[in-house]
Amino acid sequence: MVEAQKKSVKVGKLVNTAHVDTAIKNYKRERWAQNSERLGKEDSLSVWYSVEELQQFLEMAKDHGADGIRMYFGAYSEDYADQPLFAGRQTVMLVATKEKETADGTYNKDVYINTDNGTSILAYNAGRLCPPLCSGFGGGGYDEIGITIVDKGDKGMVVA
């Protein structure tokens, strides 16, 4: 009897502190400062989830046939009632995916499930945004790594 082996697809890698620091500094300079200016408040720089909830979501995704997770960048609406502090700020959504092979190539398709309200994408969101929900200096907030001084011209400077 021949047993089919499931291939492992790895597209990411572990990175070091310098890589993370550089990527965060680049983001703050090239996108965050402008986003914050447009919003009239500091945009979010990170989204936090507990290991437990991520494990639960991954298990649910696997149970529905997913073999990957896509992370979409998004923004809450300006009138987001579930958590008014998040209104207008950017977020990250985790979406379960399943690899599909077609004549045109291999694709990672979003997974949809049946719910009491009909068919819905299998996704996770609403983590702890920072800002506004930061732990503060040295306590896990957005000021531990990737410290950046943003020159806002005649509007002053921001340490982020």
Side-chain angles (χ1 to χ4, degrees), residues 22-88:
T22 298
I24 292 170
K25 284 180 181 179
N26 289 342
Y27 177 79
K28 286 178 180 178
R29 274 194 315 270
E30 297 169 14
R31 292 183 180 74
W32 179 80
Q34 293 83 353
N35 290 352
S36 297
E37 179 76 23
R38 185 184 52 75
L39 284 172
K41 61 185 175 187
E42 290 181 321
D43 200 357
S44 53
L45 284 166
S46 67
V47 181
W48 181 90
Y49 298 101
S50 71
V51 169
E52 179 182 3
E53 66 189 317
L54 290 176
Q55 285 174 328
Q56 289 172 348
F57 178 69
L58 291 174
E59 285 303 316
M60 178 185 276
K62 285 181 187 178
D63 290 347
H64 286 90
D67 56 13
I69 302 293
R70 178 176 288 120
M71 295 185 191
Y72 284 101
F73 303 109
Y76 291 107
S77 62
E78 291 294 334
D79 60 350
Y80 187 64
D82 289 356
Q83 174 52 281
L85 287 174
F86 292 3

Side-chain angles (χ1 to χ4, degrees), residues 10-24:
K10 293 184 179 182
V11 296
K13 65 180 183 177
L14 292 174
V15 296
N16 62 23
T17 304
H19 176 92
V20 172
D21 190 58
T22 298
I24 292 170

Side-chain angles (χ1 to χ4, degrees), residues 29 33 148-159:
R29 274 194 315 270
T148 306
I149 297 175
V150 180
D151 184 353
K152 297 174 70 177
D154 58 356
K155 294 183 181 178
M157 299 179 86
V158 174
V159 177

Side-chain angles (χ1 to χ4, degrees), residues 99-109:
E99 188 174 271
K100 301 283 183 182
E101 290 191 35
T102 69
D104 296 327
T106 302
Y107 299 94
N108 300 99
K109 299 287 189 177

